[in-house]
Amino acid sequence: MVADWLLEAAAQYNEQSLEGRDAYPAHILMPVEALAQILDWTFQSLPDEILVGMDVNSEMPHRREVEDAYCGADFESGLFSGQGFVLGEPHLVNRGDSYSVHHVPEEWIDGLFSEDRGVRGGRFSYWLHTHPNASAIPSEADAEAAQWTEGSDMILGVRYSPEGMLPWFDDIEGERRELSPEEDGRPVIGRAITGHLIHGLELISFHRRGFAVNVVLTDTEGLPIGW
């Protein structure tokens, strides 16, 4: 069951994705149910970061009407693995601080790990990690880890209180994509199992070559929320 506030936020987010489609050479479709699961893991893990691996659902190509709507003026096909298919089930791979979370634990490495496949071992085509009380802007470590990603990387920024040792900063350079209901002041979206109050979310995707990838949140049929 996806919370009403998340469906509302997803619809607003998709409006921004549609309006800004010409700024992106590619897009990915992510089921909102998958995002809801990731949020649940995130809220249980604060203030730690989490790393989530995903592959595409090979049985769910993008619907033609969705492609026609979200392909911008600079769209290119074949930019990364799985392009043109809806993302599949998320898998919680790791939890930890910003220095360790990108590494894949030994139990996730099925004998394929080698130095040329990076710290994540190349098991999944798509990766998402969280930024607790930090905006969803890639760091140097994020950019380095993404060099072995065959699909695209995603970052979920989570603003919460009490902040503790991780204060939120608004004056960060980079494109910001909020995923929160439009409310005045400092809304409270919910309370994490850790007791933190959740005030806002940001979600972005980027390719290892540095360009941003447009994200569209969908229902189980691959149609954008709010369509």
Side-chain angles (χ1 to χ4, degrees):
M1 186 71 177
V2 180
D4 290 341
W5 71 263
L6 181 54
L7 292 174
E8 176 189 345
Q12 295 169 1
Y13 185 91
N14 285 344
E15 287 182 11
Q16 298 173 14
S17 297
L18 184 60
E19 292 171 358
R21 63 189 181 276
D22 288 338
Y24 300 92
H27 53 270
I28 57 174
L29 271 55
M30 181 180 188
V32 72
E33 287 84 0
L35 178 59
Q37 176 62 77
I38 293 169
L39 288 173
D40 184 54
W41 291 331
T42 299
F43 295 166
Q44 293 184 48
S45 302
L46 293 177
D48 286 345
E49 296 187 14
I50 64 169
L51 176 67
V52 175
M54 303 179 73
D55 285 315
V56 297
N57 183 342
S58 60
E59 297 182 356
M60 286 195 69
H62 293 178
R63 298 170 66 132
R64 173 48 53 191
E65 60 268 36
V66 178
E67 286 294 273
D68 291 342
Y70 283 91
C71 286
D74 295 328
F75 174 78
E76 295 183 43
S77 61
L79 289 176
F80 47 81
S81 174
Q83 187 176 354
F85 288 86
V86 179
L87 294 181
E89 181 182 356
H91 301 269
L92 180 60
V93 177
N94 202 3
R95 170 182 174 176
D97 59 29
S98 59
Y99 300 100
S100 64
V101 73
H102 285 299
H103 295 262
V104 177
E106 185 175 353
E107 60 266 25
W108 278 99
I109 300 171
D110 51 5
L112 297 177
F113 180 81
S114 63
E115 291 184 1
D116 62 350
R117 304 194 71 170
V119 295
R120 294 174 179 169
R123 183 179 176 89
F124 294 102
S125 295
Y126 293 77
W127 297 94
L128 179 149
H129 74 280
T130 57
H131 279 184
N133 247 14
S135 58
I137 301 295
S139 65
E140 290 186 9
D142 298 340
E144 181 179 354
Q147 295 308 304
W148 287 272
T149 300
E150 296 178 355
S152 70
D153 273 81
M154 291 169 277
I155 301 175
L156 178 68
V158 185
R159 185 173 188 177
Y160 62 81
S161 64
E163 295 180 339
M165 299 292 291
L166 300 170
W168 178 273
F169 296 102
D170 280 315
D171 55 344
I172 304 294
E173 294 185 2
E175 182 179 0
R176 310 283 289 274
R177 292 292 312 274
E178 292 189 6
L179 179 64
S180 304
E182 291 184 358
E183 297 182 26
D184 295 330
R186 195 179 184 191
V188 175
I189 296 173
R191 182 186 296 273
I193 193 172
T194 56
H196 297 88
L197 297 178
I198 310 302
H199 300 293
L201 304 169
E202 296 181 1
L203 178 65
I204 62 102
S205 180
F206 66 99
H207 187 267
R208 61 182 177 271
R209 284 163 42 193
F211 60 79
V213 176
N214 205 3
V215 181
V216 183
L217 300 169
T218 75
D219 61 16
T220 56
E221 302 299 321
L223 289 173
I225 303 298
W227 185 260

